[in-house]
Amino acid sequence: MQIQAVELHRVRLPLTTPFRTSFGTEVDKEALLVRVVADDAEGWGECVASTEPRYSSEYVAGALDVMVSFLVPRLLAQPDLAARDVARVLAPYKGHRMAKAALEMAVLDAELRRSGETLSRHLGGIVDKVPSGVSVGIVDTVPELLDAVGDYLDQGYVRIKLKIEPGWDIGVVSAVRERFGDIPLQVDANAAYRLSDASHLARLDPFDLLLIEQPLGDDDLRQHAELATLIRTPVCLDESIHSSQSAADALALRACRIINIKAGRVGGYLEAKKIHDLAVANGVAVWCGGMVETGLGRAANAALASLPGFTLPGDVSGSDRFFAEDVTAPITMRDGYVDVPTGPGIGVAPEHEILRRVTLSTQVCTRTSR
């Protein structure tokens, strides 16, 4: 497949409610959507970088710059390109996994649309719907949090994830357990703690959580391995896992018992499948995390979560969890599940009028403009 043009749409969608984590508070979601136009097909991708480099070193404006300056010209220079080749072609440029993942996603979508195959089938999915969990951000008061959790449970979400940080952890989890009982519950620290906090984090053990996600720094597998011996709550790694190699290292060190797989964080859905396969081979559970994606990324995540190793509910929630209006037809959650798209490729595409309204800027790169 020869790529003729790449369109980069920088968009902004207002969130239905502000979303606060230890990284800060998001009021709007800014994203970079990618459209690849090939000789006989087109496909869409989404870059999941945030507006600021807090979750990782990547951010929207930086992703746009590296795509225009380096990544897209290299793809346009290829006389023939398959999705499986994108990572290799872009490998000379270090890092920028979210930007690379968006381009690979768009090329893969085009390739699968041309062949008529779904992303789920291509990756090895085995189910037609996936359980839907929801991530609940940090709020001002415990009663406000309890109201939010109760509302999500009433909507049918099958698992609750609470964002925590020092000062907003033990008491919060205790209050949720006391109000709602033995619901599937986990917490996400976004690297807000240190190993010296181990005795404090051990106070979460009596609450029988599914897991504690990324309690320590993203660059320290050794300390996570030590923490795992000091608490009973299963340690899950998120930011620390950026490739199948880092996943292998984490498993070898016994730094985690569970892995959160986010395709954008690891460089794409093909690398995400490698991590899934590695985890399955080692008897380690995985689940699909979310980055407040639009319907493009949300649909692709549902396809990823349909693989057999995804035994824990992920963050594949309905579009209305974050947006009053998505760029695609809404991804819906019914009775605790989200359907895996059945159309070719990722199975969805932006609705042109909505895309026009939410677009901040568009940049088009062509073979002739290289």
Side-chain angles (χ1 to χ4, degrees):
M1 184 167 63
Q2 189 176 75
I3 306 301
Q4 302 296 331
V6 176
E7 296 176 2
L8 303 171
H9 301 266
R10 188 170 179 175
V11 304
R12 179 183 294 143
L13 289 81
L15 299 181
T16 52
T17 57
F19 189 64
R20 178 182 164 195
T21 71
S22 59
F23 295 134
T25 301
E26 283 188 284
V27 177
D28 299 309
K29 171 60 180 179
E30 196 166 307
L32 189 59
L33 308 184
V34 178
R35 176 175 176 252
V36 160
V37 180
D39 41 9
D40 58 353
E42 67 173 52
W44 285 90
E46 176 174 354
C47 180
V48 299
S50 301
T51 308
E52 298 181 348
R54 293 177 179 266
Y55 172 81
S56 77
S57 61
E58 294 187 71
Y59 59 103
V60 175
L64 178 60
D65 179 69
V66 77
M67 284 189 194
V68 172
S69 299
F70 302 103
L71 305 183
V72 171
R74 192 165 178 88
L75 293 186
L76 291 172
Q78 305 304 308
D80 187 39
L81 183 69
R84 65 177 181 273
D85 299 324
V86 171
R88 174 186 56 78
V89 169
L90 300 181
Y93 301 115
K94 303 298 183 184
H96 300 285
R97 291 180 178 85
M98 293 178 178
K100 293 175 179 178
L103 292 168
E104 182 190 86
M105 177 182 171
V107 174
L108 182 58
D109 185 39
E111 192 173 278
L112 295 177
R113 286 179 190 272
R114 184 176 61 176
S115 68
E117 186 179 24
T118 68
L119 178 60
S120 172
R121 180 180 177 84
H122 184 75
L123 295 177
I126 61 170
V127 297
D128 58 9
K129 60 181 180 179
V130 296
S132 181
V134 67
S135 180
V136 185
I138 297 168
V139 294
D140 292 332
T141 67
V142 170
E144 184 180 352
L145 176 71
L146 295 176
D147 287 344
V149 171
D151 183 50
Y152 290 130
L153 291 173
D154 288 343
Q155 292 177 44
Y157 286 101
V158 300
R159 183 228 67 202
I160 299 294
K161 179 172 80 172
L162 304 177
K163 295 288 187 177
I164 62 170
E165 63 183 5
W168 183 266
D169 46 30
I170 310 300
V172 170
V173 173
S174 177
V176 170
R177 272 285 183 246
E178 182 177 352
R179 170 73 68 86
F180 301 106
D182 191 27
I183 61 170
L185 183 65
Q186 63 194 57
V187 294
D188 182 6
N190 287 122
Y193 296 86
R194 298 180 179 180
L195 184 58
S196 57
D197 296 314
S199 61
H200 178 74
L201 293 175
R203 294 174 60 195
L204 291 169
D205 290 344
F207 297 111
D208 295 321
L209 300 175
L210 294 173
L211 57 90
I212 178 170
E213 184 179 352
Q214 198 65 44
L216 311 180
D218 63 288
D219 58 351
D220 202 332
L221 294 179
R222 184 190 61 80
Q223 290 200 13
H224 273 106
E226 186 171 347
L227 177 67
T229 69
L230 300 174
I231 64 176
R232 286 193 291 107
T233 304
V235 172
C236 169
L237 290 181
D238 175 0
E239 292 96 317
S240 293
I241 306 300
H242 49 77
S243 66
S244 54
Q245 181 59 59
S246 61
D249 291 343
L251 296 181
L253 291 170
R254 298 183 180 178
C256 64
R257 288 160 55 187
I258 300 168
I259 294 175
N260 170 357
I261 300 181
K262 294 177 179 174
R265 190 193 68 233
V266 303
Y269 287 90
L270 301 183
E271 185 71 9
K273 175 175 167 51
K274 292 180 183 179
I275 296 172
H276 162 274
D277 294 348
L278 175 70
V280 169
N282 284 272
V284 170
V286 297
W287 58 281
C288 184
M291 291 288 290
V292 194
E293 290 92 346
T294 72
L296 295 174
R298 205 167 292 266
N301 286 348
L304 178 65
S306 71
L307 273 65
F310 286 86
T311 56
L312 294 173
D315 287 338
V316 187
S317 56
S319 294
D320 60 359
R321 162 66 183 92
F322 292 108
F323 309 119
E325 182 179 60
D326 207 335
V327 296
T328 67
I331 306 296
T332 57
M333 185 275 292
R334 291 188 299 272
D335 301 323
Y337 287 81
V338 168
D339 289 336
V340 176
T342 57
I346 62 174
V348 300
E351 299 194 353
H352 295 300
E353 177 56 28
I354 299 175
L355 180 62
R356 184 192 64 79
R357 282 192 275 107
V358 302
T359 295
L360 301 175
S361 65
T362 299
Q363 193 146 350
V364 181
C365 307
T366 65
R367 294 181 67 83
T368 57
S369 66
R370 291 193 292 114

